[in-house]
Amino acid sequence: MNNISFELNNTLSAKTAFTSCGCNRTPSSVHWLQDSQNENQAEEHGGGGLFLYAARNSVAVVLSERNGAPRVISSHSLHKDRVNCVRWLQKSTNSSQLCYFLSGGVDKALCLCKYHRKTREIESVCCFKDSQSSVICCDGLTLKSGQFLLASACGDSYVRIYQPDKDAEKALQSIKFGTGFILSLQLTFISATSVPMLACGGDDAKIHIFIQQAGQFVKAISLHGHEDWIRGLDFTTDDKGDMLLASCSQDCFVRIWRITESPNKVPDPSQNPSGEIKLKENVFVAEVNEKNVTFSVTVETVLYGHEGWVYGIHWHPKVLDASGTSRQPMKLLTASMDKTMIIWQPDADTGVWEERLRVGEVGGNTLGLYGCQFSAGGRTILAHGYHGAFTLWNLTTSSSGDEHWCRGIAVSGHFGDVTDIAWDPEGHFLLSTSFDQTTRLFAPWKETGNWYEMGRPQVHGYDLQCLAMLGRLSFASGADEKVVRVFQCPLNFLENLDKLCDAKISSELHQMKKEGRTMAEGASVPALGLSNKAVFADQPVDMYADKDVQPAANEQYTESSFRPLDLTVPPSEDNLLQNTLWPETQKLYGHGFEIFALAANPQGTILASACKATKPDYAGIILWDTKTWQQITTLYCHSLTVVQMAFSPVSGDRLLSVSRDRTWALHQFDYTSGAVDKLAATDKKTAVHSRIIWSCCWTPDEAFFLTASRDKKVIFWCRNEDSLGGGDQPAGLNGYGACSQATFSQSVTAVGVSYVLDSSRRYLLAAGLENGEITLCSWNKSEGLTQLHVLDTNMAHHLTVRKLIFRPNSNTSEGHTNNVVKLASCGQDHQVKLYDIMLTG
């Protein structure tokens, strides 16, 4: 329930300011709300209203505003595993502020929820868990009685029918499809009646039509024509009253079927005993208002234009004409694995269906589109792809009255576990790394104040584990490889970032010019390469321009060529992939196994790196001089993998490290002599933690440091005079000891302390738990730890929190002057989140 403020013991309040997460890789994981209230909202905001999408185990609600760009306004953790499908339900209620939606997931659950427009809260209504396998797709209808009729297709070869008000535990009817699977289904009413009709498309390349008779769905007909799995179905009714069913398939074809009432036709079972459509026209009978009515089915058209599997299909929503009459535009949207969307429309004179618009991506390393949607009103089209990214296009009108489609801003995010985050030292932007093999940069767009993905500095070939900022214009990252890679911000990206986000980097540019350092214009990735190569202003844009050997026209792995951008809005997905890369400037070799942790001192002059280790010989921490990129020394103080490291935040002269071996170590630097000494360390005898230590951090005044562990404890450490127990201390601790500890309900996987103290001079602490919750606490030496509030799994994360880091104190409008502290978090739920914590005294 994001964007909802909570009062925290009258001392502070918190709200979610930003949520980023990629869309799940399933065809039915996006759905746009189509109702009059949503259309009014679309007109009011100049956008397309609300749409749902599946984000790992949760459902996210997005407000699409064409003038202000879309943003996630609410999310809710509904399932225990990945969500496969979401669907808004149209229901006439007394309150126009209430909407309902369905979601189904790998956890075998089908959930019905309601969304409150005004408060943006999501509330669970009921959940059906009688399936024996994953829910693949779902749909629902609102009956005349106001009750919902729901249908879901599952991996156990069943389609189940539910009616929540009758039985909230199990299905009213289960339809078995042998050993096959239904991959798409759609519920509708037979035209001008209240008789429900169900269409199911499966891996047998047939469309199975069922009609509800006497409370049970009975098979009416099967439609032949497709030659491969059917991946999408959508019903509509034209202005003549005929029903149109659109289907798409992995055979790359789209078919439109016309279903018409034919009172003079009587079906002849002897001509087609199987009930399958073999001829151009076939008929079936349904009981409507206690009378048998005959319907004919014909193939309206077969559309071919996509060169890959067609996964998504959606009819243009109904619109109101000048007289207020509802009419159905004959426009059909399809999306394919060939990375394109097509709008089909019949010719006004001949009636022949034609391709009227094709949009999408050319080149790049994406793998195609899964699903597509028209917005309410039909002036925006949206698709989502394999990499969790959205492609959005808006229909705009020029000053001369001409209409054309333009690429719009879309929400974006990681589609794998987010492993690490790091703030720009000035707090103007945030970097994140993920198992999706990308490093992403998020910043607030100054036009709206909303946060968006402004760059994708690294697109790699290995899962990324960690990162560290080396000043404002450089960072280092570590992945499942033995190399630490260092990146430098290019000039074109820097100019766009400063223009879009007011990042105030002019002083850094001036300093670089003063030192005579040159900046690359951008970066490109060679075919099958892992390194971002620098592109300079005098270098040809075409990477093959000066080469004798040219790539083949159908080359599978193409060069990702950089082209300078002059952005006025946040970059689109294709620009993020290709034109916001940072050039790689260094590779650091020295570790024997995969890099696992990185840290840099506040001055950005020393980088510490550690790798996975199963014995002390490999658990060393290598220190690097970032001016010469030479190794300073290797610190051997642990016996297993070093999980996290943190430099003291002001002086940067102490390095804290924690490990899987349940110990911590503290090293001190002498910047004058260059000496590095072990200041203190725990061992098996002196360790207070009984399980792996996951996280560590410093208080802003460097008086204390914290460790957080799987044993559910957060411990404050300090000098002996403030430590618990007092008296003599073991020699290895050198006067350090535990001065306070707190126990939480779950394993503590991340911990962070704010740079800003509250009104009582207490430290503000955030602890991330294994179940995804974030606990906000205050602490000082005399009073100990006080829990203020728990951000639950809907406001925080629904899987393990990986990192918590408070925004560095800056002079921005969100800084300490307005008593606002910003907290960033990331987790295994693929999400990056920002929270505004308001100190109210």
Side-chain angles (χ1 to χ4, degrees), residues 113-144:
C113 300
K114 54 185 174 183
Y115 171 73
H116 300 265
R117 295 178 193 263
K118 186 175 182 180
T119 62
R120 294 175 178 172
E121 292 184 6
I122 297 175
E123 179 183 346
S124 178
V125 176
C126 62
C127 195
F128 304 97
K129 300 181 179 179
D130 56 336
S131 171
Q132 302 301 311
S133 187
S134 303
V135 177
I136 300 172
C137 53
C138 61
D139 197 14
L141 279 179
T142 304
L143 304 176
K144 281 188 174 181

Side-chain angles (χ1 to χ4, degrees), residues 239-254:
D239 295 339
K240 299 177 182 178
D242 291 347
M243 298 176 63
L244 296 176
L245 170 62
S247 61
C248 62
S249 168
Q250 291 181 186
D251 62 7
C252 306
F253 285 92
V254 175

